[in-house]
Amino acid sequence: MASINNGHAAVGAANGIQQKKLLQQQQAHGTNMAQLPVNANDYALAAVRDDAELKLLAEYAVDYAHSIGLVGRSGDDKYKHSNDVSVAPPIALLPSPFPRELYEQATDAQQSLNELYFRIACDHDFLMEAYKDVIKGDPFHAKLIELAKVIQKEGIRQPLMVGLQRADYLSHWNEAAQKMELKQVEVNPGQIGGPGAATAVSKCHRKMLDKVEIMHGKKLPIMAKAVVPENRPGPGIARTLYQAWKMFGDPNAIILYVNQPDLFPVCHFEQLQFVMFQVEKLAKQDGNHVLVRRASFIELRKRLSLDEAGDYSLYFDGTKRVALVHMAYGYLPEHYPEKDFDLRVMMERSTAIILSKPGTLEALPFPPTGPSTELSWFARSEKPHQEGSEQWKMGIYRAH
């Protein structure tokens, strides 16, 4: 597929083998790419007919990205800690094709899968059993499991449980059955990348397809029934975080976003796009004011405290009660130098709602509910065939 990275563009087929075959056809027939028959995987070669069009489309995409706020701080060391320079993030110039039938299967099944993962996350005994062998060779997860045991023994003080989840799907070619199949290849809970930019990327892709149609003077025949679906995970997650803050019940409490010490541009963009700006906007529309604060573990060493003598509220700077902690950091062992793991313990023992990234699901204790959900969707050793779709789902549950 065509792609741009900070304004630089390149175009290719879905994979190198297909591109080589098409180039051979071009040489054999003495024609250009636009005249060759194409399939869904190769439509970019028909859409972009030469280097001049590629350059024009790349510049158009970058300009449009800036106009809709699809930008982040520069990754250049000179500017990455400054907001003086903004660049478009690396994005595909045109959207990747994905079978409509498989997309609809994924969306139809997602609610059942959400419930499945939630029930697993609430099953302490099952999780302890699932991780009993993992922790023998993984000191970091052993530490997390030990913390889970401590919290379970003390009693969970958090009044609410909030789940944010990104499920990644790929389409897989089943050679034996001669058909495409849906495979779920990964599930990311808690700390997830992408939702802040995804809404704008979809908007940009719709605009780029419109531009291709304008350049050709017509819609490409292969795109006659193609649709770029609405994708609004950013606003959806913002609503979830705001509702969790609201249900916490303290109008003066804050949302704390734990970021990495050396904040890289994409992470910065994600935070501003769907955590800070949108949550504040939703709150104001509702007559509330939500303060969103960002801090690294290094900063939290002196600024975070736990009221162990009282109701175990978590405080930022001694006076600001924390309603919700979004952990955009702290999911790898190297994220906890010195005694920073004590900060994680403090958060987990508090009344603050914690959004973090637990370990990978190791097994399924029961099949998902819902008629369209199949366990065969969970990819094992099969090699993914092409780029897929992502669904962001979330939910709020009251603890019992």
Side-chain angles (χ1 to χ4, degrees), residues 103-303:
Y103 174 81
E104 291 175 349
Q105 286 179 14
T107 55
D108 289 345
Q110 196 59 50
Q111 181 61 41
S112 296
L113 291 173
N114 290 346
E115 294 174 5
L116 169 64
Y117 283 105
F118 172 72
R119 290 169 65 182
I120 290 172
C122 294
D123 192 330
H124 178 79
D125 292 337
F126 168 76
L127 291 174
M128 296 303 103
E129 177 67 21
Y131 278 97
K132 69 178 183 180
D133 292 326
V134 175
I135 61 178
K136 293 176 182 178
D138 190 329
F140 178 61
H141 277 86
K143 209 170 184 179
L144 290 175
I145 291 299
E146 189 59 34
L147 174 58
K149 291 178 179 179
V150 170
I151 300 302
Q152 184 75 8
K153 184 177 180 180
E154 287 188 358
I156 298 174
R157 299 183 178 92
Q158 298 165 15
L160 301 171
M161 291 177 284
V162 180
L164 300 180
Q165 184 184 103
R166 192 193 76 203
D168 297 350
Y169 293 92
L170 296 177
S171 58
H172 169 73
W173 176 251
N174 186 324
E175 186 67 27
Q178 288 291 295
K179 67 176 184 178
M180 299 296 290
E181 296 177 341
L182 183 70
K183 293 293 181 181
Q184 185 183 90
V185 295
E186 185 178 12
V187 173
N188 293 278
Q191 195 281 327
I192 51 179
T199 301
V201 169
S202 293
K203 186 175 182 179
C204 184
H205 281 162
R206 284 191 291 273
K207 187 67 172 178
M208 295 310 299
L209 291 178
D210 288 344
K211 183 63 174 178
V212 167
E213 184 175 337
I214 292 171
M215 291 171 58
H216 284 257
K218 62 179 181 179
K219 178 173 285 190
L220 296 178
I222 196 171
M223 299 296 293
K225 296 182 179 180
V227 175
V228 180
E230 286 289 333
N231 191 11
R232 299 180 58 79
I237 288 180
R239 284 194 298 272
T240 299
L241 298 181
Y242 171 61
Q243 288 299 323
W245 172 88
K246 194 174 179 180
M247 293 171 69
F248 187 77
D250 184 349
N252 297 313
I254 69 170
I255 293 176
L256 178 62
Y257 201 98
V258 181
N259 57 249
Q260 65 185 66
D262 187 19
L263 193 65
F264 62 96
V266 173
C267 185
H268 180 271
F269 169 79
E270 286 282 291
Q271 291 177 29
L272 292 180
Q273 179 73 4
F274 82 94
V275 174
M276 187 177 293
F277 292 165
Q278 294 194 38
V279 169
E280 291 175 346
K281 180 180 179 180
L282 287 170
K284 189 173 182 180
Q285 290 174 346
D286 207 18
N288 291 310
H289 297 90
V290 179
L291 181 62
V292 180
R293 297 299 301 266
R294 295 176 294 159
S296 67
F297 277 142
I298 295 174
E299 296 171 286
L300 292 178
R301 291 171 190 170
K302 296 182 179 180
R303 306 181 71 178

Side-chain angles (χ1 to χ4, degrees), residues 47-123:
V48 185
R49 293 169 289 196
D50 52 44
D51 288 343
E53 286 190 350
L54 174 60
K55 182 179 179 181
L56 187 153
L57 287 170
E59 292 178 350
Y60 188 87
V62 172
D63 289 342
Y64 187 70
H66 278 270
S67 75
I68 62 173
L70 180 56
V71 293
R73 291 184 177 185
S74 171
D76 190 298
D77 288 339
K78 182 179 179 180
Y79 298 109
K80 68 179 181 180
H81 295 292
S82 167
N83 57 10
D84 292 336
V85 177
S86 62
V87 298
I91 59 173
L93 185 62
L94 297 170
S96 299
F98 194 84
R100 183 193 300 263
E101 179 184 359
L102 302 188
Y103 174 81
E104 291 175 349
Q105 286 179 14
T107 55
D108 289 345
Q110 196 59 50
Q111 181 61 41
S112 296
L113 291 173
N114 290 346
E115 294 174 5
L116 169 64
Y117 283 105
F118 172 72
R119 290 169 65 182
I120 290 172
C122 294
D123 192 330

Side-chain angles (χ1 to χ4, degrees), residues 347-367:
M347 295 174 190
E348 298 290 353
R349 295 181 67 210
S350 75
T351 59
I353 305 163
I354 310 297
L355 287 173
S356 60
K357 183 173 183 177
T360 305
L361 179 67
E362 298 296 328
L364 301 176
F366 43 78

